[in-house]
Amino acid sequence: GEFPAPKQFGDGKHYFCQRHAAEYNRNFNFFDTMNEEQLKAFNENARYGFKQTWKFGAGPMGGDKAGKAHDPKTWRGAEFFQDAASAREERRANRSATGIQKP
């Protein structure tokens, strides 16, 4: 058939005709083979969308890491900004009050 239906444990799909796929899907129970402990773990993970969470101030951006993320001295490509700043200072130093470049 051409209509998909899930296999137990997420191991691919069965393909049936539309009538049999509808019957299979109607009777399919994802939680059928789970014990109480597995159901509890599934429900706990479902609370956070199955994503890893950390306590506030911990995790990959915890401690002083978050502050360093916004420090321009540690940015990747900081030398680009330093070069731009030095070029800007040089242009300003060569300019007179009238805006005409000094010889």
Side-chain angles (χ1 to χ4, degrees):
E2 60 183 88
F3 295 93
K7 287 185 179 180
Q8 195 68 29
F9 308 116
D11 294 334
K13 297 178 181 180
H14 294 291
Y15 287 90
F16 298 116
C17 68
Q18 186 175 13
R19 184 173 64 99
H20 286 116
E23 180 182 338
Y24 180 87
N25 287 336
R26 190 171 31 261
N27 296 322
F28 184 80
N29 184 355
F30 177 78
F31 304 102
D32 191 33
T33 59
M34 290 187 183
N35 60 31
E36 287 297 317
E37 184 179 315
Q38 291 170 323
L39 284 170
K40 185 177 178 182
F42 180 88
N43 286 331
E44 182 65 25
N45 288 329
R47 291 177 60 199
Y48 303 105
F50 302 98
K51 295 186 175 153
Q52 189 173 6
T53 60
W54 298 272
K55 290 184 178 181
F56 188 74
M61 292 302 288
D64 63 346
K65 294 177 192 170
K68 288 181 181 175
H70 301 291
D71 183 3
K73 295 176 190 164
T74 60
W75 286 348
R76 188 167 186 225
E79 64 278 353
F80 169 78
F81 296 105
Q82 291 168 350
D83 291 344
S86 61
R88 186 171 49 250
E89 288 174 16
E90 189 177 319
R91 282 194 311 271
R92 287 180 180 162
N94 289 331
R95 213 173 5 185
S96 68
T98 60
I100 299 172
Q101 294 233 350
K102 294 180 184 177

